[in-house]
């Protein structure tokens, strides 16, 4: 594989414009504010941004309820501001991915308004209607406890409509070719404005077989192929990243066995087992998840993450694993959500223990795929459990110790800011951490650089090196170069011995990429290392001056 697929070695940073930086002082984050922070992001090593929805919306589900696909919510700026922002990214070599929320619209969208008010409207068939109440109206809810049906009666239409998510998010009908044609226009529009990719929301539901959307069986996958092909015709570097929390064996259907569907997928199986490893000290389930998701087309890529804007979803862990993870990270019921998840940020879950926060991030950067980090995790931001539902993890970015954490100059911020306690902005903020060479921020920057200088991870093949259950040792090979990365999930120091002679029997050195030290190994090519509690080691296998990847001639 030649090194041309930018998404294989990029660091993706996700953020929501409304909570990042307010430039005009109205208390709401905006594109102008974000544009002023691009040098910060570039300095951190970010090479792609994933923006949560920013189009006009009543924001009853944090923007995942859109009323106009062709505009910017006026609270965040104008289309002009958006283009200034994408231009600023381009100048710095950073790509922009945006959320493509097309499973559903807001019920306030003019398409739905037309659909519900006039049975003769061409928009009637853009949504999914039933004259009678479907038998499964109370099945298949995504937000149990907050949603009691997937079909609701609409007084105006005098019919039932389908909504996989909240009642105010009616599902679009993909069996209708006009709906599909509209999605092409939306994709094409944002590409013209500088976007290089889309994080496609709720993909399994868009193509679900049990959805009431009628359609030929192949339609669903054909649609994914068509979206990808269209996006790439318009812009060759454009990628589609799927939010599809599906069992590993289904993932190839999303990538496409011929690599013709979606380029990237979030690796949910690795995410939940990674947290279980932190909860239990046992990395076996994580190793299994990595093996189960090993298979992907050469141009396909997994995206790994720690936390995102949703709950940490533990579904599909065994009952025992789930209980252990809840017990460790969400002992209090108010920390849990939808019976399956945890609504907390990374740092407080790990009790602010710097060693464990570093371990989690080091694992993230070393997993086979592309790392995605969430705004604020680079400084160890906390959560606010007094806020409802998933809002607990969506508080304003903490820039400095000025009122509202420097997020806005307005006295009252529209976005909640964490002011009190150990995670308050007076203690946790960018300005302070910039000054301290040992801060989490500066450590994260160094780690990101290390990840970028280790393209074997994004491009190469990996092996899980046999080791005890509390150790995760991954070895990557690419173009003749190889790295070994070792993590200790236990609270005890561990001594481990590895044999490296598998690569041709020659005696090889382990060059420590973090401290420059090296280990010669014994005559048989075995290396014995001692790794401290929650410790991590990044090694390049080779000679002393092999600290950086060497290209083949
Ligand atoms: C997945 C998004 O990540 C989540 O935040 C949203 O509520 C649902 N999709 C519905 O769009």
């Amino acid at each position: 594989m030649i090194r041309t697929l930018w998404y294989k070695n990029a660091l993706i940073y996700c953020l929501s414009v409304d909570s990042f930086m307010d430039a005009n002082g109205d208390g709401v984050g905006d594109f102008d504010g974000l544009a002023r922070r691009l040098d910060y992001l570039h300095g951190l090593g970010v090479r792609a941004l994933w923006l949560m929805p920013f189009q006009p919306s009543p924001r009853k589900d944090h923007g995942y309820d859109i009323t106009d696909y062709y505009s910017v919510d006026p609270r965040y700026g104008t289309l002009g501001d958006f283009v200034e922002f994408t231009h600023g990214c381009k100048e710095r070599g950073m790509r922009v991915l945006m959320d493509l929320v097309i499973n559903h619209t807001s019920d306030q969208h003019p398409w739905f308004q037309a659909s519900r008010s006039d049975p003769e409207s061409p928009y009637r068939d853009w949504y999914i209607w039933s004259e009678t109440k479907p038998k499964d109206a109370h099945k298949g809810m995504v937000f149990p406890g907050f949603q009691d049906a997937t079909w609701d009666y609409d007084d105006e239409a005098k019919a039932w409509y389908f909504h996989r998510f909240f009642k105010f998010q009616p599902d679009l009908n993909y069996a209708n070719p006009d709906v599909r044609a509209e999605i092409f226009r939306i994709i094409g529009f944002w590409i013209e404005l500088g976007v290089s990719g889309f994080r496609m929301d709720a993909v399994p539901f868009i193509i679900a077989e049990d959805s009431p959307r009628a359609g030929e069986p192949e339609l669903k996958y054909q649609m994914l192929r068509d979206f990808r092909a269209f996006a790439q015709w318009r812009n060759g570097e454009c990628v589609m990243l799927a939010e599809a929390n599906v069992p590993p064996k289904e993932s190839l259907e999303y990538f496409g066995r011929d690599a013709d569907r979606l380029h990237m997928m979030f690796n949910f199986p690795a995410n939940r087992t990674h947290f279980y490893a932190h909860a239990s000290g046992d990395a076996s389930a994580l190793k299994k998840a990595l093996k189960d998701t090993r298979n992907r087309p050469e141009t396909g890529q997994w995206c790994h993450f720690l936390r995102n804007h949703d709950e940490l979803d533990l579904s599909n862990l065994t009952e025992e694993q789930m209980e252990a993870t809840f017990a460790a990270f969400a002992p209090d019921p108010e920390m849990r959500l939808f019976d399956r998840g945890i609504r907390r940020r990374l740092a407080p879950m790990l009790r602010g223990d710097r060693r464990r926060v570093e371990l989690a991030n080091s694992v993230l950067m070393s997993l086979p795929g592309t790392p995605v980090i969430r705004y604020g995790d680079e400084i160890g931001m906390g959560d606010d459990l007094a806020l409802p539902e998933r809002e607990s993890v969506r508080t304003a970015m903490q820039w400095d110790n000025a009122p509202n954490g420097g997020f806005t100059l307005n006295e009252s911020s529209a976005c909640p800011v964490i002011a009190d306690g150990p995670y308050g902005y007076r203690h946790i903020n960018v300005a302070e951490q910039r000054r301290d060479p040992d801060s989490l921020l500066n450590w994260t920057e160094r780690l990101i650089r290390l990840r970028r200088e280790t393209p074997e991870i994004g491009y190469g093949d990996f092996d899980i090196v046999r080791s005890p259950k509390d150790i995760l040792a991954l070895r990557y090979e690419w173009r003749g170069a190889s790295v070994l990365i070792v993590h200790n999930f236990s609270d005890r120091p561990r001594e481990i011995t590895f044999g490296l002679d598998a690569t041709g029997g020659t005696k090889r050195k382990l060059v420590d990429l973090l401290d420059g030290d090296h280990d010669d190994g014994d005559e048989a090519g075995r290396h014995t290392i001692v790794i401290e509690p929650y410790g991590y080691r990044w090694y390049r296998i080779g000679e002393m001056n092999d600290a950086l990847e060497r290209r083949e001639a």
Side-chain angles (χ1 to χ4, degrees):
M1 169 67 54
I2 55 168
R3 198 169 162 169
T4 190
L5 306 176
W6 68 267
Y7 55 93
K8 290 248 171 184
N9 205 41
L11 186 278
I12 304 178
Y13 185 98
C14 71
L15 65 92
S16 189
V17 179
D18 70 329
S19 53
F20 202 62
M21 181 67 205
D22 170 26
N24 66 1
D26 65 354
V28 182
D30 44 42
F31 275 106
D32 191 11
L34 172 56
R36 294 182 199 190
R37 290 292 184 251
L38 291 182
D39 287 318
Y40 164 76
L41 294 170
H42 187 260
L44 186 59
V46 173
R47 291 299 176 265
L49 294 174
W50 154 32
L51 304 185
M52 329 255 104
F54 52 78
Q55 290 126 313
S57 158
R59 296 190 73 73
K60 284 161 88 178
D61 180 15
H62 219 94
Y64 286 90
D65 47 337
I66 292 174
T67 51
D68 177 2
Y69 285 90
Y70 298 100
S71 191
V72 166
D73 191 312
R75 284 170 285 193
Y76 310 147
T78 61
L79 281 175
D81 294 332
F82 182 80
V83 171
E84 285 306 298
F85 152 72
T86 55
H87 176 74
C89 290
K90 199 157 128 201
E91 256 190 331
R92 294 168 177 83
M94 289 156 64
R95 268 99 175 177
V96 179
L97 310 183
M98 64 181 275
D99 242 290
L100 185 64
V101 187
I102 53 168
N103 176 69
H104 48 267
T105 69
S106 159
D107 60 356
Q108 301 307 306
H109 196 294
W111 302 336
F112 188 70
Q113 293 299 327
S115 183
R116 65 153 41 139
S117 60
D118 177 5
E120 300 307 318
S121 157
Y123 291 106
R124 181 65 160 200
D125 188 47
W126 279 43
Y127 295 86
I128 300 161
W129 295 101
S130 168
E131 298 299 319
T132 53
K133 180 173 181 177
K135 278 200 217 53
D136 53 359
H138 297 282
K139 289 201 180 123
M141 287 83 71
V142 177
F143 301 131
F146 292 79
Q147 182 196 4
D148 66 0
T150 45
W151 287 91
D152 261 273
Y153 186 71
D154 185 62
D155 284 335
E156 216 175 319
K158 304 212 174 359
W160 299 78
Y161 67 96
F162 179 67
H163 57 89
R164 178 68 75 173
F165 296 94
F166 291 115
K167 192 175 168 165
F168 52 82
Q169 292 166 316
D171 277 36
L172 284 164
N173 177 18
Y174 280 92
N176 183 331
D178 293 342
V179 173
R180 304 201 297 271
E182 189 69 31
I183 305 304
F184 291 135
R185 275 190 283 273
I186 294 168
I187 293 174
F189 178 83
W190 291 104
I191 287 177
E192 282 317 300
L193 298 189
V195 159
S196 304
F198 298 88
R199 176 258 190 199
M200 206 169 156
D201 189 55
V203 185
F205 300 117
I206 298 177
I207 64 173
E209 240 142 41
D210 66 343
S211 115
R213 282 181 261 265
E216 316 97 65
E218 254 306 280
L219 173 72
K220 54 183 199 175
Y221 292 125
Q222 186 56 42
M223 202 162 79
L224 299 184
R225 250 180 240 129
D226 292 347
F227 290 154
R228 176 203 180 114
F230 177 84
Q232 285 206 285
W233 286 329
R234 290 288 171 94
N235 174 356
E237 66 168 29
C238 192
V239 293
M240 305 295 250
L241 160 60
E243 186 222 10
N245 190 350
V246 294
K249 60 178 177 340
E250 280 176 39
S251 52
L252 267 191
E253 300 299 337
Y254 289 78
F255 285 123
R257 285 169 202 276
D258 298 325
D260 54 350
R261 298 176 189 164
L262 306 178
H263 304 78
M264 296 199 281
M265 288 181 77
F266 284 110
N267 196 323
F268 284 95
N271 178 254
R272 53 185 168 254
T273 50
H274 181 188
F275 275 91
Y276 171 66
H278 287 287
S280 63
D282 179 356
S284 318
L286 171 57
K287 294 177 196 176
K288 178 167 185 319
L290 295 178
K291 283 185 199 145
D292 291 347
T293 54
R294 177 194 292 279
N295 208 0
R296 56 167 173 73
E298 206 184 354
T299 54
Q301 181 76 325
W302 287 107
C303 276
H304 291 283
F305 60 104
L306 291 169
R307 292 291 294 111
N308 62 20
H309 62 296
D310 288 329
E311 76 283 4
L312 165 62
D313 189 342
L314 304 179
S315 48
N316 292 321
L317 286 181
T318 64
E319 213 169 297
E320 208 178 303
Q321 291 169 340
M322 196 189 258
E323 272 321 305
T325 313
F326 271 141
F329 300 138
D332 192 333
E334 69 157 1
M335 298 169 171
R336 304 180 186 183
L337 193 64
F338 310 138
D339 304 333
R340 60 165 184 249
I342 300 180
R343 54 185 207 108
R344 302 185 74 192
R345 279 259 194 184
L346 179 75
M349 270 197 281
L350 299 176
R351 295 172 195 231
D353 183 335
R354 174 71 183 262
R355 294 171 310 170
R356 302 187 74 188
V357 171
E358 287 191 13
L359 173 67
N361 278 290
S362 173
V363 172
L364 167 70
M365 296 293 163
S366 70
L367 290 177
T370 294
V372 182
I373 65 171
R374 173 145 169 80
Y375 82 91
D377 278 356
E378 73 272 33
I379 52 170
M381 262 173 62
D383 44 49
D384 182 352
L385 294 167
L387 295 168
E389 223 228 77
R390 291 162 292 168
E391 299 306 310
S392 49
V393 296
R394 298 170 175 179
T395 57
M397 181 68 181
Q398 296 172 191
W399 293 106
D400 54 39
N401 62 9
N404 286 318
F407 159 71
T408 177
L409 290 176
N410 196 300
E411 266 172 41
S412 62
S413 170
C415 180
V417 183
I418 299 182
D420 303 321
Y423 295 97
Y425 61 78
R426 291 179 199 86
H427 305 290
I428 304 282
N429 66 62
V430 172
E432 197 153 303
Q433 294 198 20
R434 287 167 71 112
R435 288 191 287 268
D436 173 3
D438 294 324
S439 67
L440 183 62
L441 176 65
N442 282 313
W443 177 85
T444 305
E445 187 182 319
R446 292 193 291 273
L447 182 71
I448 292 174
R449 178 182 312 131
L450 180 59
R451 168 63 184 79
R452 286 169 44 75
E453 288 174 352
T454 316
E456 291 91 339
I457 300 174
Y459 279 98
D461 293 323
F462 74 98
D463 269 324
I464 300 173
V465 180
R466 188 189 287 271
S467 51
K469 66 178 189 174
D470 44 11
I471 300 292
L472 174 69
L474 295 172
R475 177 173 178 170
Y476 291 90
E477 303 280 339
W478 185 57
R479 303 201 310 190
S482 90
V483 289
L484 172 72
I485 306 169
V486 188
H487 291 101
N488 177 9
F489 283 90
S490 97
D491 57 2
R492 287 163 303 133
R494 305 286 274 127
E495 186 184 82
I496 323 144
T497 300
F498 300 101
L500 290 181
D501 40 6
T503 54
T506 46
K507 190 176 161 202
R508 311 287 289 274
K509 279 188 169 62
L510 284 181
V511 182
D512 189 321
L513 296 176
L514 289 158
D515 68 7
D517 207 356
H518 72 277
D519 186 84
D520 285 324
D522 65 15
E523 286 307 312
R526 279 192 308 265
H527 294 259
T528 299
I529 62 169
V530 175
I531 183 164
E532 62 282 359
Y534 306 121
Y536 51 90
R537 295 282 186 284
W538 289 53
Y539 296 111
R540 194 168 286 282
I541 303 173
E543 295 306 316
M544 261 319 277
N545 51 3
D546 280 351
L548 291 174
E549 174 221 350
R550 280 200 197 189
R551 296 180 183 220
E552 280 173 350

